[in-house]
Amino acid sequence: MEWGQVRVIAAKEFRDRIRNRWVLAVALIFALFALAIAYFGASQQGEVGFRSIDVTVASLVSLVIYLVPLIALILGYDAIVGERERGSLELMLSMPITRFEILLGKYCGLSAALASSTVLGFGAGLLPLAAELTVRDGYHYAGFVGSAILMGMAFLSISMLVSVIALDRVRASGAAIGLWFFFVLIFDLLLMGALVLSQGRLGSNTFAALLMLNPADVFRLLNIFSSEQAQSLYGLATVMPDGLLEPAVLLSIMAAWVVLPFLLANWRFKCPSR
Protein backbone atom coordinates (compact mmCIF):
# COMPACT_ATOMS: atom_id res chain seq x y z
CA MET A 1 0.00 0.00 0.00
CA GLU A 2 1.27 3.46 -0.94
CA TRP A 3 0.67 5.78 1.99
CA GLY A 4 1.49 8.79 -0.17
CA GLN A 5 -1.59 8.14 -2.32
CA VAL A 6 -3.74 7.72 0.77
CA ARG A 7 -2.50 11.10 2.04
CA VAL A 8 -3.27 12.76 -1.29
CA ILE A 9 -6.87 11.53 -1.31
CA ALA A 10 -7.32 12.36 2.39
CA ALA A 11 -5.95 15.86 1.87
CA LYS A 12 -8.30 16.42 -1.07
CA GLU A 13 -11.34 15.32 0.95
CA PHE A 14 -10.31 17.57 3.83
CA ARG A 15 -9.67 20.58 1.56
CA ASP A 16 -13.05 20.11 -0.09
CA ARG A 17 -14.76 20.35 3.31
CA ILE A 18 -12.70 23.42 4.20
CA ARG A 19 -13.43 25.05 0.84
CA ASN A 20 -17.20 24.65 1.14
CA ARG A 21 -17.03 25.87 4.77
CA TRP A 22 -18.49 22.62 6.08
CA VAL A 23 -16.00 22.44 8.96
CA LEU A 24 -16.68 26.04 9.98
CA ALA A 25 -20.46 25.60 9.89
CA VAL A 26 -20.44 22.44 12.03
CA ALA A 27 -17.90 23.95 14.46
CA LEU A 28 -20.13 27.01 14.89
CA ILE A 29 -23.15 24.82 15.67
CA PHE A 30 -21.20 22.85 18.26
CA ALA A 31 -19.77 26.02 19.84
CA LEU A 32 -23.16 27.70 20.21
CA PHE A 33 -24.80 24.62 21.73
CA ALA A 34 -21.87 23.95 24.08
CA LEU A 35 -21.88 27.52 25.39
CA ALA A 36 -25.67 27.63 25.72
CA ILE A 37 -25.86 24.33 27.59
CA ALA A 38 -22.92 25.17 29.86
CA TYR A 39 -24.38 28.55 30.82
CA PHE A 40 -28.14 28.01 30.64
CA GLY A 41 -28.38 24.26 31.29
CA ALA A 42 -29.82 24.75 34.77
CA SER A 43 -32.27 27.50 33.87
CA GLN A 44 -35.26 25.19 34.47
CA GLN A 45 -34.18 25.05 38.12
CA GLY A 46 -34.07 28.84 38.23
CA GLU A 47 -30.28 29.02 37.99
CA VAL A 48 -28.18 30.62 35.27
CA GLY A 49 -24.46 30.21 34.91
CA PHE A 50 -21.87 27.47 34.82
CA ARG A 51 -22.45 24.87 37.58
CA SER A 52 -20.06 21.96 37.01
CA ILE A 53 -18.41 20.12 34.16
CA ASP A 54 -20.22 16.90 35.11
CA VAL A 55 -23.64 18.47 34.64
CA THR A 56 -22.51 20.18 31.43
CA VAL A 57 -21.15 16.96 29.93
CA ALA A 58 -24.27 15.02 30.96
CA SER A 59 -26.41 17.60 29.15
CA LEU A 60 -24.14 17.70 26.10
CA VAL A 61 -24.22 13.90 25.76
CA SER A 62 -27.86 13.93 24.67
CA LEU A 63 -27.18 16.70 22.15
CA VAL A 64 -24.12 14.98 20.70
CA ILE A 65 -25.97 11.67 20.30
CA TYR A 66 -28.43 13.42 17.99
CA LEU A 67 -26.03 15.65 16.05
CA VAL A 68 -22.75 13.79 15.56
CA PRO A 69 -24.19 10.55 14.07
CA LEU A 70 -26.36 12.58 11.69
CA ILE A 71 -23.41 14.72 10.58
CA ALA A 72 -21.16 11.68 10.15
CA LEU A 73 -23.73 9.74 8.13
CA ILE A 74 -24.45 12.72 5.87
CA LEU A 75 -20.73 13.38 5.50
CA GLY A 76 -19.85 9.94 4.15
CA TYR A 77 -22.93 8.52 2.44
CA ASP A 78 -21.85 9.63 -1.06
CA ALA A 79 -18.10 9.16 -0.66
CA ILE A 80 -18.02 6.23 -3.09
CA VAL A 81 -21.42 6.15 -4.77
CA GLY A 82 -21.08 9.86 -5.60
CA GLU A 83 -17.77 9.25 -7.34
CA ARG A 84 -19.33 6.33 -9.22
CA GLU A 85 -22.25 8.45 -10.44
CA ARG A 86 -19.94 11.26 -11.58
CA GLY A 87 -17.73 8.79 -13.44
CA SER A 88 -14.64 9.82 -11.51
CA LEU A 89 -14.32 6.47 -9.72
CA GLU A 90 -13.47 4.66 -12.94
CA LEU A 91 -10.88 7.33 -13.69
CA MET A 92 -9.24 6.87 -10.31
CA LEU A 93 -9.25 3.09 -10.63
CA SER A 94 -7.53 3.35 -14.02
CA MET A 95 -4.55 4.87 -12.21
CA PRO A 96 -1.99 2.91 -10.15
CA ILE A 97 -4.05 3.08 -6.96
CA THR A 98 -5.93 0.34 -5.15
CA ARG A 99 -9.52 0.38 -3.99
CA PHE A 100 -8.36 0.09 -0.38
CA GLU A 101 -6.20 3.20 -0.76
CA ILE A 102 -9.16 5.13 -2.19
CA LEU A 103 -11.46 4.02 0.61
CA LEU A 104 -8.91 4.63 3.37
CA GLY A 105 -7.93 8.03 1.97
CA LYS A 106 -11.53 9.18 1.83
CA TYR A 107 -12.22 7.88 5.32
CA CYS A 108 -9.14 9.58 6.79
CA GLY A 109 -9.95 12.88 5.12
CA LEU A 110 -13.57 12.86 6.24
CA SER A 111 -12.54 11.78 9.76
CA ALA A 112 -10.09 14.69 9.92
CA ALA A 113 -12.82 17.12 8.89
CA LEU A 114 -15.23 15.70 11.47
CA ALA A 115 -12.60 15.72 14.22
CA SER A 116 -11.51 19.29 13.40
CA SER A 117 -15.03 20.66 13.53
CA THR A 118 -15.75 18.80 16.78
CA VAL A 119 -12.59 20.02 18.53
CA LEU A 120 -12.96 23.59 17.26
CA GLY A 121 -16.65 23.77 18.10
CA PHE A 122 -16.64 22.31 21.57
CA GLY A 123 -13.33 23.97 22.42
CA ALA A 124 -14.56 27.40 21.40
CA GLY A 125 -17.91 26.81 23.11
CA LEU A 126 -16.34 26.39 26.54
CA LEU A 127 -13.53 28.90 26.05
CA PRO A 128 -15.48 31.82 27.65
CA LEU A 129 -15.86 29.69 30.78
CA ALA A 130 -12.23 28.55 30.90
CA ALA A 131 -11.49 30.60 34.01
CA GLU A 132 -14.04 28.55 35.97
CA LEU A 133 -12.59 25.17 34.98
CA THR A 134 -10.08 23.16 36.96
CA VAL A 135 -7.42 20.89 35.48
CA ARG A 136 -9.62 17.90 36.28
CA ASP A 137 -12.52 19.59 34.45
CA GLY A 138 -10.29 20.10 31.43
CA TYR A 139 -9.34 16.42 31.29
CA HIS A 140 -12.95 15.37 31.73
CA TYR A 141 -14.12 17.66 28.95
CA ALA A 142 -11.30 16.53 26.66
CA GLY A 143 -12.34 12.92 27.24
CA PHE A 144 -15.90 13.81 26.32
CA VAL A 145 -14.78 15.49 23.08
CA GLY A 146 -12.52 12.55 22.24
CA SER A 147 -15.33 10.04 22.76
CA ALA A 148 -17.61 12.19 20.55
CA ILE A 149 -14.99 12.01 17.79
CA LEU A 150 -14.76 8.23 18.17
CA MET A 151 -18.54 7.91 17.90
CA GLY A 152 -18.48 10.11 14.82
CA MET A 153 -15.79 7.89 13.27
CA ALA A 154 -17.92 4.81 14.01
CA PHE A 155 -20.92 6.27 12.21
CA LEU A 156 -18.63 7.47 9.42
CA SER A 157 -17.51 3.85 8.94
CA ILE A 158 -21.15 2.83 8.71
CA SER A 159 -21.82 5.56 6.15
CA MET A 160 -18.84 4.41 4.07
CA LEU A 161 -20.33 0.92 4.03
CA VAL A 162 -23.65 2.39 2.88
CA SER A 163 -21.86 4.35 0.16
CA VAL A 164 -20.14 1.23 -1.14
CA ILE A 165 -23.30 -0.88 -1.18
CA ALA A 166 -25.79 1.71 -2.50
CA LEU A 167 -26.64 1.78 -6.19
CA ASP A 168 -27.14 5.55 -6.34
CA ARG A 169 -26.91 8.66 -4.16
CA VAL A 170 -30.67 8.84 -3.55
CA ARG A 171 -30.77 5.36 -2.06
CA ALA A 172 -27.58 6.03 -0.12
CA SER A 173 -29.03 9.18 1.44
CA GLY A 174 -32.24 7.37 2.33
CA ALA A 175 -30.29 4.53 3.94
CA ALA A 176 -28.15 7.02 5.90
CA ILE A 177 -31.20 8.81 7.30
CA GLY A 178 -32.86 5.48 8.06
CA LEU A 179 -29.80 4.30 9.97
CA TRP A 180 -29.77 7.54 11.96
CA PHE A 181 -33.40 7.01 12.94
CA PHE A 182 -32.69 3.40 13.90
CA PHE A 183 -29.58 3.92 16.02
CA VAL A 184 -30.57 7.24 17.63
CA LEU A 185 -34.34 6.96 18.02
CA ILE A 186 -35.67 3.45 17.44
CA PHE A 187 -33.00 1.16 18.92
CA ASP A 188 -33.48 2.23 22.55
CA LEU A 189 -37.26 2.13 22.18
CA LEU A 190 -37.04 -1.46 20.94
CA LEU A 191 -34.71 -2.34 23.79
CA MET A 192 -37.03 -0.80 26.37
CA GLY A 193 -39.96 -2.62 24.79
CA ALA A 194 -38.11 -5.94 25.01
CA LEU A 195 -37.29 -5.20 28.65
CA VAL A 196 -40.94 -4.51 29.47
CA LEU A 197 -42.27 -7.52 27.53
CA SER A 198 -39.80 -9.84 29.25
CA GLN A 199 -41.26 -8.70 32.62
CA GLY A 200 -37.84 -8.46 34.17
CA ARG A 201 -36.53 -11.76 32.79
CA LEU A 202 -34.07 -9.93 30.55
CA GLY A 203 -30.97 -10.01 32.75
CA SER A 204 -28.56 -7.13 33.21
CA ASN A 205 -25.83 -8.97 31.27
CA THR A 206 -28.10 -9.47 28.26
CA PHE A 207 -29.36 -5.89 28.49
CA ALA A 208 -25.79 -4.57 28.62
CA ALA A 209 -24.72 -6.76 25.70
CA LEU A 210 -27.59 -5.43 23.59
CA LEU A 211 -26.55 -1.86 24.41
CA MET A 212 -23.14 -2.61 22.90
CA LEU A 213 -24.84 -3.13 19.52
CA ASN A 214 -25.35 0.62 19.25
CA PRO A 215 -22.31 2.96 19.12
CA ALA A 216 -24.47 5.82 20.39
CA ASP A 217 -25.21 3.85 23.56
CA VAL A 218 -21.53 3.00 23.96
CA PHE A 219 -20.77 6.72 23.79
CA ARG A 220 -23.49 7.46 26.34
CA LEU A 221 -22.11 4.86 28.75
CA LEU A 222 -18.56 6.15 28.34
CA ASN A 223 -19.64 9.56 29.55
CA ILE A 224 -22.30 8.53 32.07
CA PHE A 225 -19.96 6.35 34.07
CA SER A 226 -17.17 8.90 34.09
CA SER A 227 -18.75 10.54 37.15
CA GLU A 228 -21.15 9.55 39.91
CA GLN A 229 -23.18 12.72 39.37
CA ALA A 230 -23.82 11.78 35.73
CA GLN A 231 -24.78 8.25 36.77
CA SER A 232 -27.43 9.60 39.12
CA LEU A 233 -28.88 11.74 36.33
CA TYR A 234 -29.40 8.72 34.06
CA GLY A 235 -30.08 6.03 36.66
CA LEU A 236 -28.30 3.24 34.80
CA ALA A 237 -25.66 2.44 37.40
CA THR A 238 -27.71 -0.35 38.97
CA VAL A 239 -28.39 -2.29 35.74
CA MET A 240 -24.91 -2.39 34.24
CA PRO A 241 -22.51 -5.22 35.15
CA ASP A 242 -19.20 -4.11 36.60
CA GLY A 243 -17.21 -5.61 33.73
CA LEU A 244 -18.67 -3.15 31.24
CA LEU A 245 -18.10 -0.08 33.37
CA GLU A 246 -14.38 0.01 32.62
CA PRO A 247 -13.52 2.79 30.15
CA ALA A 248 -10.97 0.50 28.46
CA VAL A 249 -13.69 -2.05 27.69
CA LEU A 250 -16.07 0.56 26.33
CA LEU A 251 -13.31 2.17 24.28
CA SER A 252 -12.42 -1.23 22.81
CA ILE A 253 -16.05 -1.77 21.79
CA MET A 254 -16.17 1.69 20.23
CA ALA A 255 -12.94 0.94 18.36
CA ALA A 256 -14.55 -2.23 17.03
CA TRP A 257 -17.44 -0.11 15.72
CA VAL A 258 -14.87 2.09 13.95
CA VAL A 259 -12.92 -0.78 12.38
CA LEU A 260 -15.43 -3.52 11.54
CA PRO A 261 -17.85 -1.55 9.29
CA PHE A 262 -14.85 -0.11 7.44
CA LEU A 263 -13.37 -3.58 6.88
CA LEU A 264 -16.75 -4.80 5.64
CA ALA A 265 -16.95 -1.81 3.31
CA ASN A 266 -13.45 -2.59 2.03
CA TRP A 267 -14.40 -6.24 1.41
CA ARG A 268 -17.55 -5.21 -0.48
CA PHE A 269 -15.68 -2.55 -2.45
CA LYS A 270 -13.19 -5.16 -3.66
CA CYS A 271 -15.88 -7.47 -5.01
CA PRO A 272 -15.55 -7.85 -8.79
CA SER A 273 -19.21 -6.88 -9.31
CA ARG A 274 -18.46 -3.41 -7.98
Side-chain angles (χ1 to χ4, degrees):
M1 187 176 68
E2 293 290 338
W3 285 102
Q5 299 188 111
V6 174
R7 286 195 297 270
V8 169
I9 294 177
K12 178 186 179 300
E13 291 292 332
F14 185 76
R15 285 196 305 269
D16 287 345
R17 297 308 181 279
I18 295 292
R19 191 177 299 116
N20 63 19
R21 299 179 182 178
W22 182 92
V23 171
L24 180 61
V26 173
L28 182 60
I29 292 173
F30 285 158
L32 292 175
F33 276 113
L35 181 60
I37 288 176
Y39 196 77
F40 298 105
S43 59
Q44 67 268 27
Q45 283 86 34
E47 300 180 20
V48 175
F50 179 73
R51 295 177 62 191
S52 72
I53 197 66
D54 291 340
V55 174
T56 299
V57 167
S59 300
L60 284 173
V61 163
S62 299
L63 171 70
V64 168
I65 284 176
Y66 283 99
L67 286 182
V68 170
L70 180 62
I71 291 170
L73 288 167
I74 292 176
L75 184 62
Y77 82 89
D78 67 339
I80 299 299
V81 70
E83 298 281 5
R84 186 184 298 125
E85 283 193 348
R86 290 188 292 269
S88 53
L89 181 60
E90 287 74 13
L91 178 62
M92 284 193 291
L93 291 174
S94 67
M95 300 177 182
I97 185 172
T98 65
R99 290 174 180 257
F100 179 72
E101 290 167 353
I102 294 174
L103 197 66
L104 182 60
K106 284 183 170 291
Y107 180 77
C108 289
L110 295 175
S111 295
L114 182 63
S116 299
S117 61
T118 304
V119 172
L120 288 173
F122 285 119
L126 223 62
L127 191 61
L129 304 173
E132 302 183 47
L133 300 178
T134 65
V135 174
R136 179 260 177 193
D137 291 342
Y139 280 119
H140 187 184
Y141 193 69
F144 158 74
V145 175
S147 64
I149 293 172
L150 276 177
M151 180 180 63
M153 292 175 64
F155 278 98
L156 185 58
S157 291
I158 296 172
S159 71
M160 296 292 287
L161 177 59
V162 169
S163 187
V164 169
I165 294 174
L167 299 177
D168 53 61
R169 294 178 72 250
V170 174
R171 297 181 188 182
S173 62
I177 297 300
L179 285 170
W180 179 80
F181 270 102
F182 175 76
F183 282 113
V184 175
L185 300 175
I186 299 175
F187 183 89
D188 287 344
L189 291 176
L190 293 176
L191 195 56
M192 292 299 105
L195 190 62
V196 171
L197 291 175
S198 69
Q199 297 181 349
R201 290 189 296 271
L202 188 65
S204 60
N205 289 332
T206 304
F207 180 79
L210 292 174
L211 283 177
M212 298 303 104
L213 298 178
N214 187 348
D217 283 327
V218 178
F219 166 78
R220 181 186 286 114
L221 293 172
L222 265 171
N223 289 279
I224 287 174
F225 290 102
S226 61
S227 72
E228 294 183 0
Q229 189 173 8
Q231 290 180 35
S232 64
L233 289 174
Y234 281 87
L236 285 174
T238 59
V239 299
M240 295 298 297
D242 293 337
L244 282 178
L245 300 185
E246 294 295 329
V249 175
L250 293 172
L251 286 172
S252 298
I253 295 171
M254 185 69 84
W257 270 107
V258 173
V259 173
L260 293 179
F262 179 84
L263 292 179
L264 186 57
N266 178 57
W267 171 80
R268 186 65 182 88
F269 194 36
K270 288 181 176 179
C271 289
S273 62
R274 307 304 290 177

